[in-house]
């Protein structure tokens, strides 16, 4: 009889540990960086809900953006494909006219080498950008030796928006504007 009680106790203990582990695994899947929204280069939604992105911005959640550029080139006797992908943390977020814009931190300029697999740092320039759910990416290449040599332009790119779910529960936000 004593053996039966011990076996029953061990079975109950093991099954409760398994339930706890299963619950923790489900909760872990909802943590970390997750795609919350993506748009094409014309601002059309590809996945997610822009209202959830706006809720996350209004709650102050950490947001990261991903984008890429692809083009074929013929320059200086070289032909090839220019294909790069980037992700960066949004440093300043804006909601304007229903769209979200992410300003990225200024970095030293960089450019892929056309001759080999390498990224060149451009020591004379800084780069800064704003990406939007409109698909527009505004960029500035700032020549730190002479501002008059600086260049700015816009491209249209697909943007993937990520939210860090570790300290963010945007579903509970009522999406009230901040003004």
């Amino acid at each position: 009889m004593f053996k039966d009680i011990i076996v029953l106790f061990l079975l109950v203990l093991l099954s409760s540990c398994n339930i706890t582990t299963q619950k923790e695994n489900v909760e872990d899947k909802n943590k970390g960086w997750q795609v919350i929204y993506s748009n094409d280069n014309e601002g059309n939604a590809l996945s997610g809900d822009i209202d959830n992105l706006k809720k996350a911005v209004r709650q102050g959640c950490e947001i990261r953006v991903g984008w890429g550029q692809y083009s074929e080139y013929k320059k200086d006797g070289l032909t090839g494909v220019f294909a790069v992908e980037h992700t960066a943390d949004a440093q300043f977020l804006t909601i304007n006219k229903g769209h979200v814009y992410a300003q990225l931190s200024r970095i030293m300029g960089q450019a892929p080498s056309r001759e080999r697999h390498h990224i060149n740092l451009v020591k004379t320039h800084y780069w800064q950008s704003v990406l939007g759910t409109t698909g527009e990416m505004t960029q500035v290449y700032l020549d730190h030796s002479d501002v008059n040599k600086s260049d700015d332009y816009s491209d249209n790119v697909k943007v993937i928006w990520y939210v860090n779910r570790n300290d963010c529960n945007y579903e509970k936000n009522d999406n009230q504007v901040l003004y």
Side-chain angles (χ1 to χ4, degrees), residues 133-147:
T133 55
T134 58
E136 184 178 26
M137 177 177 69
T138 304
Q139 303 176 75
V140 173
Y141 286 94
L142 179 63
D143 185 321
H144 51 80
S145 65
D146 184 354
V147 175

Side-chain angles (χ1 to χ4, degrees), residues 8 18 36 88 91 122 132 155 168 170-172 175:
L8 182 61
N18 189 32
I36 189 171
Q91 296 301 307
V122 182
D155 278 329
C168 175
Y170 59 85
E171 290 95 350
K172 293 185 178 181
N175 210 19

Side-chain angles (χ1 to χ4, degrees), residues 11 43 59 66 69 74 93 96 103 136 148 158 163 179:
L11 284 173
Q59 187 175 324
Q69 293 175 300
K74 291 181 182 179
L93 292 155
N96 183 37
Q103 187 172 154
E136 184 178 26
N148 294 321
K158 172 184 169 183
V163 63
Y179 51 86

Side-chain angles (χ1 to χ4, degrees), residues 1 8 11 18 29 52 57 60 76 83 90 107 116 130-131 159 161:
M1 172 106 175
L8 182 61
L11 284 173
N18 189 32
K29 288 181 183 178
N52 284 338
V57 169
D76 301 330
I107 63 167
R116 59 191 179 108
V130 174
L131 292 107
V159 183
W161 300 80

Side-chain angles (χ1 to χ4, degrees), residues 90-148:
Q91 296 301 307
F92 190 84
L93 292 155
T94 301
I95 300 172
N96 183 37
K97 297 182 181 177
H99 285 279
V100 178
Y101 299 86
Q103 187 172 154
L104 308 180
S105 290
R106 181 173 68 179
I107 63 167
M108 180 182 284
Q110 67 177 39
S113 170
R114 290 184 279 163
E115 292 85 22
R116 59 191 179 108
H117 297 289
H118 180 74
I119 298 292
N120 297 311
L121 290 174
V122 182
K123 298 173 188 168
T124 59
H125 288 79
Y126 291 114
W127 175 88
Q128 198 158 5
S129 183
V130 174
L131 292 107
T133 55
T134 58
E136 184 178 26
M137 177 177 69
T138 304
Q139 303 176 75
V140 173
Y141 286 94
L142 179 63
D143 185 321
H144 51 80
S145 65
D146 184 354
V147 175
N148 294 321

Side-chain angles (χ1 to χ4, degrees), residues 1-11:
M1 172 106 175
F2 183 67
K3 254 182 160 178
D4 292 337
I5 292 173
I6 290 178
V7 168
L8 182 61
F9 174 76
L10 289 174
L11 284 173

Side-chain angles (χ1 to χ4, degrees), residues 63-105:
I63 304 292
R64 182 175 285 168
V65 290
W67 74 100
Q69 293 175 300
Y70 176 92
S71 64
E72 296 176 7
Y73 63 84
K74 291 181 182 179
K75 187 175 181 181
D76 301 330
L78 296 172
T79 59
V81 172
F82 174 80
V84 294
E85 301 172 64
H86 308 285
T87 59
D89 294 338
Q91 296 301 307
F92 190 84
L93 292 155
T94 301
I95 300 172
N96 183 37
K97 297 182 181 177
H99 285 279
V100 178
Y101 299 86
Q103 187 172 154
L104 308 180
S105 290

Side-chain angles (χ1 to χ4, degrees), residues 18-30:
N18 189 32
I19 290 170
T20 303
T21 303
Q22 288 175 353
K23 183 178 177 184
E24 287 173 2
N25 287 340
V26 169
E27 288 175 1
D28 286 345
K29 288 181 183 178
N30 294 326

